[in-house]
Amino acid sequence: SFLFHLNCFDDKREMGGNESKDRLAETEPRTPKTPGDSVDSSSYWSVVRKGYEELVHAIIRPPRAEYELERLGPIHFTYCGKKFRRTDLELVNQRGLILQCSWWEPVERVEESLPCIVFLHGNSSARLEGLNQLSVSLGYGMTLFAFD
């Protein structure tokens, strides 16, 4: 890979002469000289493929954030003189993946059903970000649902 080429280049500078050019040519991918000649580029393409896959996983499908549930706050708490609770649950989607969810709601409801804000966090984030919306949603009489 790149570091190997870099190290070889540094070694060749110290060696000098044609020998360094010959060693450099051995480390670089060959190009076919005739139609029947093959290129041994499997290692090159495997490096490119691995780099691409790492990029995709970092941007499109980053790993799920790991944190302790305690960071979501207490299960039972009081806000503006009213009692609330956080219910943690798991949902399974159509692909069989498990979604980790939290639902903040009042303990005593003034109505049977209340408006619910479903918080969708951004890429490389977590439902912890929903805590920033908690005071507004609970203060206005709504519940908050967030998931990873």
Side-chain angles (χ1 to χ4, degrees):
S1 71
F2 177 73
L3 290 177
F4 175 74
H5 289 288
L6 184 61
N7 290 339
C8 290
F9 181 76
D10 290 341
D11 292 341
K12 290 175 205 69
R13 287 168 115 190
E14 294 172 6
M15 294 172 69
N18 290 337
E19 187 180 355
S20 65
K21 290 179 185 175
D22 294 341
R23 274 189 71 191
L24 180 60
E26 290 174 8
T27 61
E28 293 178 347
R30 290 189 313 127
T31 56
K33 295 179 181 166
T34 63
D37 216 3
S38 65
V39 176
D40 182 22
S41 60
S42 60
S43 62
Y44 172 76
W45 287 112
S46 64
V47 170
V48 170
R49 186 178 306 118
K50 183 178 180 190
Y52 175 76
E53 288 173 359
E54 288 177 3
L55 179 66
V56 167
H57 288 295
I59 295 173
I60 297 174
R61 294 184 184 215
R64 178 178 278 176
E66 293 183 18
Y67 53 88
E68 300 295 323
L69 284 178
E70 290 79 31
R71 292 195 52 202
L72 292 170
I75 293 175
H76 298 281
F77 60 98
T78 302
Y79 177 70
C80 293
K82 296 180 181 176
K83 294 182 180 182
F84 295 90
R85 71 174 159 244
R86 184 190 83 233
T87 305
D88 298 315
L89 58 130
E90 293 181 345
L91 296 175
V92 180
N93 69 11
Q94 292 176 340
R95 295 187 309 172
L97 300 174
I98 298 172
L99 303 175
Q100 302 294 328
C101 310
S102 294
W103 187 20
W104 290 269
E105 61 182 329
V107 173
E108 296 176 13
R109 293 174 171 259
V110 291
E111 297 179 28
E112 187 175 329
S113 66
L114 297 172
C116 179
I117 296 174
V118 178
F119 180 79
L120 306 173
H121 63 73
N123 202 18
S124 297
S125 188
R127 62 186 155 157
L128 288 169
E129 298 296 323
L131 295 175
N132 297 327
Q133 312 308 318
L134 193 57
S135 61
V136 173
S137 57
L138 297 181
Y140 279 104
M142 299 178 267
T143 66
L144 179 70
F145 189 86
F147 60 92
D148 291 332

